[in-house]
Structures are given as C-alpha cells and as structure tokens.
Amino acid sequence: MSAKRTSKTVLLAAPRGFCAGVDRAIQIVEKSIAKYGAPVYVRHEIVHNRHVVDRLVGMGAVFVEELEDCPDDRPVVFSAHGVPKSVPAAAQAREMNYLDATCPLVSKVHVEAEKHAAAGHHILLIGHEGHPEVVGTMGQLPVGRMSLIETEEDAHKFTAEDPENLALVTQTTLSVDDTSAMIDILKTRFPNIALPYKEDICYATTNRQMAVKAIAERCDLLLVIGSQTSSNSKRLVEVGDKAGADNAMLISSADSINWDIVDQAKVIGLSAGASAPEYLTDGVLAALKSKYEIDMQEVEVTKEKVIFRLPRKLLDVA
C-alpha cells in the first residue's frame, strides 16, 4: 500500500506571466521570420527570459548585443526594452530593414522625456543603472539632460542646478511601493517638479504586484517564475517578501525548484513575471502535483484586456 501523499495548498496569482508588450515583441520576431525568412537579427534579448530566447533561436532568430553585429541585408528587431535614439539612426544610415518591438508603454516614457526636455526641464529618471530600458530612455536625450535616481538615498542627495525646472519619469518595471517612496522624497524636496501625467510603471507590473500582495500573507513560500535578468520578476519577489510571505524565491522553471524548501511549506504562492510564458507555470504546477496532493486556488485581482498593435509592415503576415 503506497504512503499517503502530503497535502499542500497552492495560491495561483492572477494576472501573471506575459503582458501585452512582451506578447507583441515576441510576435514581431516570429512574424518577421515568417515574412523575411531566417535569419532575423534581434538586438539584445527580445525579453528577459532564456526559454523564450531559445525557442526563437530555434525558429531562426539571431540575438546580438549591438547593431554592428548585424549584416546590412537582413532584418533587425529592437527589443521590447527600447533603444537609444542613436540605434535606429544608425540603422537608417545603413539602409537596414528594422522593426521596433519597444513596448508602447516604454515608448510613452520616451515621448514624455522629450516633451519635458523641450520645455526646458532637467529630467530625473527613477530606475536601475545598466538595465536596457534605462539605457534606452537616457539615450533619447543628449548626455547631461537626464539624471538617474536608483535609491531613496539618491533622491535625498540629488542636487539641482535649477530646482524650479525639474521633471520626473520612471522605468516601467519597478516596485510600485519603492518608487512611490522616492517620488514622495523628490516632491517634498522639489515641490514644482513636473510629474508623469499618468504613472509610468506599466499596468502589467502594477497588476502582477497587486496579485502577489493579495496572496503573500498566507504563503509559507512564494515562488516567482522568471529570469535573474528580469527586473519585473525580481520586483515581484521583493513585493511578496515585504507583503508578508515567510519565504519568497525566484525560479527559472520547475527544474530549479528547491524541493527541500517546498517540503516544509504548507501554503505555496505561485506567480510569474511579465516575460515568463504560461507553459513554465504549467510545468511548475505539474511538478508540484507529481509530488503532493494539491488544493489549487486561483486568486485574481483584475482581468487584463490590453492588446498592442503590430508594426504596419507585419500586418499582412498570417
């Protein structure tokens, strides 16, 4: 007679996984390959997830870090994170066929920054140094027109040449709570700072963080599926930790689960970053069900219906 299996509750956060911007970016690569044939070059990882990248490589995508690594006669796709203005300018100078997969919400931040600069403001960007989205946003303007604020300490220490002429934008994939704290400091120090018309942090980042907050207090263990290079996935772990999860961990897939830790947990929360495909969540659930009796409860905080249009030159691809 087989031993009785341990029972565990799994709280499945919703929304989770792919957002509209990631879905659009991946479709741009897929449809470019379908229209132009392989290889199609992609500057930087299209999204920060190795599983997604490896699948696209299998279809004929070639991932490179710089435009110089691309031949003139093949299409090139710019990643969802956005690129400095110098990149499309260089592609145009070489008469390359390029497709911009920048998330429209990142493009919105680029437009905001340019409008503030045109109004004579010095711009503060809340974000993480070296992240491709931050590199792309800072690259919309000449060097010196934008200053990066990474921490609350930075917000306290920043000195302005003209305190009355400041504007603020943010990276789209940050922690809502951490960003709010930095914004509050800057607003207190510079009451006339021009704020975003609408929150720059994207709807998908906000929704995934809300869903994690909704389950965190009940979790002995919160598992977030995502890449170590994915900003929004790492923020979900931090949000879950602060919201009361006893333990919160980032995993890349079912293969990276620490079963000794899972064994000790009675209630397990599960979410996935905006660049993690749903089949990775399915794989983690299947792995859990193979070892335990699972009572699964989906906790949905909102429904997402956002869809972003593809570039015009790909609309004829089935």
Side-chain angles (χ1 to χ4, degrees):
M1 186 175 176
S2 61
K4 187 178 179 185
R5 299 203 304 169
T6 306
S7 295
K8 296 191 184 294
T9 299
V10 173
L11 303 177
L12 188 58
R16 64 183 175 276
F18 276 1
C19 62
V22 166
D23 192 50
R24 173 181 179 270
I26 293 168
Q27 283 192 62
I28 287 173
V29 178
E30 293 171 342
K31 289 180 180 293
S32 295
I33 294 168
K35 180 168 183 172
Y36 303 112
V40 166
Y41 284 75
V42 185
R43 185 189 178 278
H44 193 69
E45 291 187 344
I46 188 69
V47 295
H48 283 155
N49 189 280
R50 176 49 50 188
H51 298 271
V52 171
V53 168
D54 287 347
R55 186 178 70 81
L56 293 173
V57 167
M59 294 175 66
V62 177
F63 289 87
V64 298
E65 282 306 306
E66 299 297 340
L67 196 66
E68 292 75 36
D69 301 323
C70 304
D72 292 343
D73 61 346
R74 295 304 305 161
V76 58
V77 178
F78 303 148
S79 83
H81 311 98
V83 295
K85 269 192 169 176
S86 58
V87 175
Q92 285 176 346
R94 290 170 59 185
E95 298 184 347
M96 299 174 78
N97 177 15
Y98 69 89
L99 300 100
D100 190 354
T102 301
C103 173
L105 298 179
V106 174
S107 297
K108 178 178 78 73
V109 176
H110 292 179
V111 171
E112 277 180 13
E114 289 191 281
K115 285 181 177 176
H116 286 311
H121 297 308
H122 181 81
I123 297 154
L124 305 185
L125 168 62
I126 296 177
H128 296 297
E129 186 172 12
H131 189 280
E133 183 185 329
V134 167
V135 173
T137 299
M138 296 192 82
Q140 300 305 302
L141 299 174
V143 174
R145 295 300 308 273
M146 199 177 295
S147 298
L148 184 62
I149 304 291
E150 287 195 271
T151 63
E152 291 181 31
E153 184 181 3
D154 290 346
H156 280 297
K157 285 185 173 179
F158 174 75
T159 55
E161 287 185 18
D162 184 356
E164 299 302 308
N165 262 319
L166 295 175
L168 180 69
V169 295
T170 80
Q171 184 179 332
T172 63
T173 53
L174 301 176
S175 159
V176 175
D177 295 336
D178 290 349
T179 306
S180 295
M182 284 184 263
I183 291 173
D184 287 344
I185 293 166
L186 292 169
K187 279 163 56 179
T188 300
R189 295 190 61 217
F190 308 108
N192 292 328
I193 191 168
L195 301 174
Y197 172 68
K198 197 176 176 203
E199 187 104 37
D200 284 339
I201 295 174
C202 85
Y203 78 93
T205 298
T206 302
N207 290 346
R208 279 148 191 72
Q209 290 178 17
M210 282 172 49
V212 162
K213 285 180 182 179
I215 65 174
E217 266 194 341
R218 297 164 59 190
C219 296
D220 303 315
L221 173 64
L222 172 68
L223 298 176
V224 175
I225 304 167
S227 168
Q228 289 291 343
T229 55
S230 166
S231 175
N232 76 83
S233 300
K234 288 161 80 173
R235 300 295 84 75
L236 285 178
V237 175
E238 293 171 5
V239 166
D241 190 47
K242 288 182 179 177
D246 290 344
N247 191 2
M249 302 176 65
L250 185 65
I251 59 171
S252 59
S253 67
D255 295 337
S256 58
I257 293 173
N258 185 325
W259 291 107
D260 291 337
I261 294 175
V262 175
D263 277 339
Q264 304 303 313
K266 289 184 178 178
V267 179
I268 300 163
L270 184 59
S271 184
S275 48
E278 184 68 5
Y279 68 77
L280 294 179
T281 299
D282 294 339
V284 170
L285 289 171
L288 290 168
K289 289 174 181 177
S290 72
K291 290 178 177 286
Y292 312 107
E293 289 296 329
I294 296 297
D295 171 25
M296 192 174 78
Q297 303 168 22
E298 186 167 52
V299 180
E300 184 176 65
V301 297
T302 188
K303 290 192 183 298
E304 291 181 346
K305 298 177 182 177
V306 178
I307 297 172
F308 293 135
R309 285 173 59 86
L310 293 170
R312 190 173 287 110
K313 63 175 76 171
L314 293 179
L315 292 179
D316 60 342
V317 183

